[in-house]
Amino acid sequence: MKKGIKRIPTGFWILTAGIVFLLLISLCSSWIAPYDYQATDTKNLLSPPNLQHWMGTDEQGRDVFSRVLVGSKNSIFSAFILIALAGSIGSLIGLLGGYYGGFADSLLMRITDIFLSFPDMILAVAVAGVLGGGLTNAMIAILLTSWTQYARLARSSTRAIKEENYIQAAKLSGCSEIRILFVHIFPNIISPLIVTATLHISGVMMGIAGLSFLGLGVKVPDAEWGSMISVGRNYLQTAPWMAIGPSLVMVLVMMAFNLFGDYVRDLMDPKQRKS
């Protein structure tokens, strides 16, 4: 092994393969689900787990396993879209504020501070309550609370490197400010942003599930883990599998993404690399 190259652990590749497989299952969930996730069956109301229905059925006779599969698309890919939007918006704000400084920096950071002054979930609930229910409105609500950490991180990283010699050389060579920002600065601050994004996935998934649990996100009969848990809590005494199934799957998926984020952080942290 060459000097300066950190050996990528086998666990990282195994976990990456598992996450890719999970994403493929989510994408194809509508086709591979054993039953129609919205189809009701009055003859199988609250049926316990069995060979035909691995996670049992709900109060309408719908197959819980099929609904968990289809709901993974809403839960996981909504989080991915939110991370992409929040990361892009926050990084751009931080990049501009950190590079230009002065009034622009003060204005952008004061706006960021205003959003940071509210607890994330409370602000998300308030925004979702004003906008109304639905997955799109829930995503907008969470987006308004999740871009701030990227803005502050991008700003601090930009301020740390904008006076570096290679940046000054780029200015003297006649590079435009846009080229300096997105070709010379942004690639050098992207590592901590990627680490933050990977560690943020499970938190965003929890936020979406939390709003759906409160009735401010995805609504039945559409499938989403938070809304399924919300309905299932009313049947904990008679049909606990309605809540246990989606809860267990959500916890396992969040643990997988958290572990993946830890691996990414260790691999991208220069202090962790072997000399």
Side-chain angles (χ1 to χ4, degrees):
M1 184 174 63
K2 294 181 179 180
K3 270 192 165 183
I5 299 179
K6 182 178 177 65
R7 180 179 179 273
I8 299 178
T10 304
F12 171 80
W13 295 116
I14 295 174
L15 185 60
T16 301
I19 289 177
V20 170
F21 178 73
L22 173 64
L23 296 178
L24 291 175
I25 292 293
S26 298
L27 280 174
C28 303
S29 58
S30 299
W31 294 283
I32 65 177
Y35 299 93
D36 182 350
Y37 76 101
Q38 291 186 335
T40 60
D41 184 359
T42 55
K43 296 181 181 179
N44 281 309
L45 302 181
L46 301 177
S47 175
N50 52 60
L51 293 178
Q52 286 73 39
H53 302 283
W54 295 352
M55 291 184 177
T57 62
D58 62 12
E59 81 287 359
Q60 298 291 330
R62 295 171 297 215
D63 182 60
V64 174
F65 179 68
S66 298
R67 290 181 63 77
V68 168
L69 274 180
V70 176
S72 65
K73 188 183 299 183
N74 285 331
S75 298
I76 297 174
F77 285 96
S78 296
F80 273 52
I81 293 171
L82 274 171
I83 292 294
L85 291 174
S88 299
I89 294 171
S91 298
L92 179 61
I93 290 174
L95 188 65
L96 294 175
Y99 180 76
Y100 288 106
F103 175 77
D105 182 39
S106 297
L107 177 62
L108 292 174
M109 288 305 102
R110 294 301 76 76
I111 294 173
T112 303
D113 290 339
I114 290 173
F115 281 93
L116 282 171
S117 65
F118 296 95
D120 289 355
M121 199 59 191
I122 293 178
L123 180 59
V125 168
V127 173
V130 172
L131 295 177
L135 179 59
T136 301
N137 290 338
M139 291 175 65
I140 293 173
I142 295 175
L143 177 61
L144 290 176
T145 67
S146 56
W147 62 270
T148 52
Q149 58 184 307
Y150 298 96
R152 294 181 70 89
L153 181 59
R155 174 183 179 265
S156 61
S157 299
T158 301
R159 285 171 61 91
I161 70 170
K162 72 175 184 177
E163 301 300 333
E164 292 288 339
N165 291 333
Y166 68 92
I167 301 297
Q168 300 304 315
K171 291 180 180 179
L172 293 174
S173 66
C175 289
S176 65
E177 291 186 335
I178 292 179
R179 181 175 177 82
I180 292 173
L181 283 169
F182 295 103
V183 176
H184 297 286
I185 294 180
F186 185 68
N188 288 288
I189 68 170
I190 197 171
S191 292
L193 293 172
I194 291 175
V195 172
T196 300
T198 54
L199 291 171
H200 196 199
I201 294 173
S202 59
V204 172
M205 286 177 56
M206 178 63 76
I208 295 172
L211 290 179
S212 297
F213 183 87
L214 296 173
L216 298 172
V218 178
K219 295 185 180 295
V220 178
D222 290 333
E224 195 276 333
W225 296 339
S227 62
M228 292 177 66
I229 296 170
S230 179
V231 174
R233 64 176 175 161
N234 299 317
Y235 297 89
L236 286 176
Q237 298 295 326
T238 55
W241 54 86
M242 284 180 58
I244 292 175
S247 297
L248 182 61
V249 171
M250 187 170 72
V251 169
L252 292 175
V253 171
M254 289 174 61
M255 288 176 60
F257 280 114
N258 279 336
L259 185 57
F260 180 74
D262 289 338
Y263 272 122
V264 172
R265 179 185 58 197
D266 293 341
L267 290 171
M268 301 190 76
D269 184 357
K271 296 180 181 178
Q272 298 291 332
R273 293 176 186 156
K274 295 179 180 179
S275 56

